Amino acid sequence: MAAHPLTVGFDLDMTLIDSRPGIKAAYEALAERTGTYIDADAAVTRLGPPLEQEIRRWFPAERVAEVSDLYRELYPTHAITGTLAMPGAREAVDAVRAAGGRAVVVTAKYEPNAKLHLTHLGIAADAVVGSLWAEAKATALREHGARLYVGDHTGDVRGARTAGALSVAVATGPCDAEELRAAGAQVVLDDLTAFPAWLDRYAADPARYPAGGADGDGAVTASD
């Protein structure tokens, strides 16, 4: 796929959506269905990595695939309506489109469920790619020609840098601003409400924000 003049990748959980209420409900339904204790309150503090990492905390290895499939089956019923848009999420995506760009969601979440969230919340992504985590996100970012990747987790920073994209981090998930900078984020914002104004500055002077990449210098900026 040819690179668009401006393609921006976005993570989903705790970047565009606050899925904690919905995911908590889904884990509670899973616990009830399987008769296995799951600390749903603790589970929603660890969002970002693939589902299987959390399932391994509560189920033996030989059941992880089966239980993960069951969770994904329960998810649309229990997790979609309880999930909220993060502050500034719609405005961030709209700002990309207003600049003539494309917004691509690249997430570790199961892709059909990711699309259900975006449709329910009215967040209009140009493409959605699921089931990719950390460095593996670089595959989709490269395919779509993303120059920026916006995420809340150090895994998102690694994905951006592996793709040679500018890592724009938001401190709205499990990783604080210091962790995100230490991981190599070149721009750190408090949340997405700051993104449209930052995007205007980026569009005016992209050279101010060299993406670097896995082997680049990737100088970390302060909150911008």
Side-chain angles (χ1 to χ4, degrees), residues 106-133:
V106 181
T107 175
K109 190 179 292 297
Y110 180 54
E111 188 173 306
N113 289 341
K115 290 178 176 178
L116 288 176
H117 277 303
L118 294 168
T119 298
H120 177 72
L121 293 171
I123 299 173
D126 293 285
V128 181
V129 183
S131 300
L132 295 176
W133 163 241

Side-chain angles (χ1 to χ4, degrees), residues 148-168:
L148 319 174
Y149 185 58
V150 185
D152 66 281
H153 198 284
T154 55
D156 299 324
V157 177
R158 300 200 306 271
R161 292 180 64 82
T162 301
L166 185 74
S167 173
V168 180

